[in-house]
Amino acid sequence: MKKLCMATAALASLLALGACQSGSKSSAPVSNSGKSASLRAMEQVAIAAHRCWFASKDPAFKPYRMANELNAFGGTPRFLLVPANNYGGLPLLVVQARGNSGRVEHFGPLTSEPLGARINADLHRWSSGSSDCGSAA
């Protein structure tokens, strides 16, 4: 039994060392941080959206909640705006980046509402590298 425990511990150590090997196995270009272009773009946009729309308590976004899905297993980092009173409800806005370009796209019913012009301007500004909140509509 003692030999079995020692063998299991040795095998676990070898597996742990193997998991530490550097190098990405995906074909997507990555930076030194190991993040894809789409994830880096979405992190920047999601942080700005949270700070400018929600943490600032902007009244225009009070009816909504942000559902962050940056670590989605499908490889499409995104966040959603959903009704504040129905977190599991259908998204009213989807903001995502796909592929290796890091290009941010958005769609959903909120884009055709009066708030849509502001959302478009904010997302364009943030995906271009600015973290400025701009002015409220």
Side-chain angles (χ1 to χ4, degrees):
M1 183 69 171
K2 186 175 181 181
K3 285 184 181 182
L4 179 62
C5 288
M6 289 176 57
T8 302
L11 181 60
S13 297
L14 288 174
L15 289 173
L17 285 175
C20 293
Q21 295 297 318
S22 64
S24 174
K25 297 190 179 24
S26 74
S27 61
V30 292
S31 72
N32 292 337
S33 68
K35 296 177 183 175
S36 68
S38 58
L39 179 57
R40 288 192 314 272
M42 282 306 301
E43 283 179 336
Q44 178 174 330
V45 172
I47 288 168
H50 180 267
R51 184 174 51 83
C52 297
W53 293 347
F54 296 101
S56 70
K57 302 205 183 297
D58 186 322
F61 290 90
K62 186 175 177 149
Y64 313 107
R65 293 292 174 261
M66 186 173 181
N68 186 344
E69 297 181 352
L70 294 180
N71 295 327
F73 291 109
T76 303
R78 66 185 187 171
F79 68 83
L80 314 171
L81 292 193
V82 297
N85 59 356
N86 186 7
Y87 194 76
L90 291 174
L92 302 171
L93 178 70
V94 177
V95 181
Q96 66 184 21
R98 293 187 289 173
N100 302 330
S101 71
R103 188 175 142 259
V104 175
E105 56 190 25
H106 64 284
F107 53 90
L110 270 181
T111 60
S112 61
E113 298 289 326
L115 191 55
R118 169 150 175 231
I119 289 170
N120 188 51
D122 287 347
L123 294 175
H124 178 73
R125 184 174 55 257
W126 298 329
S127 63
S128 297
S130 174
S131 61
D132 181 44
C133 289
S135 59

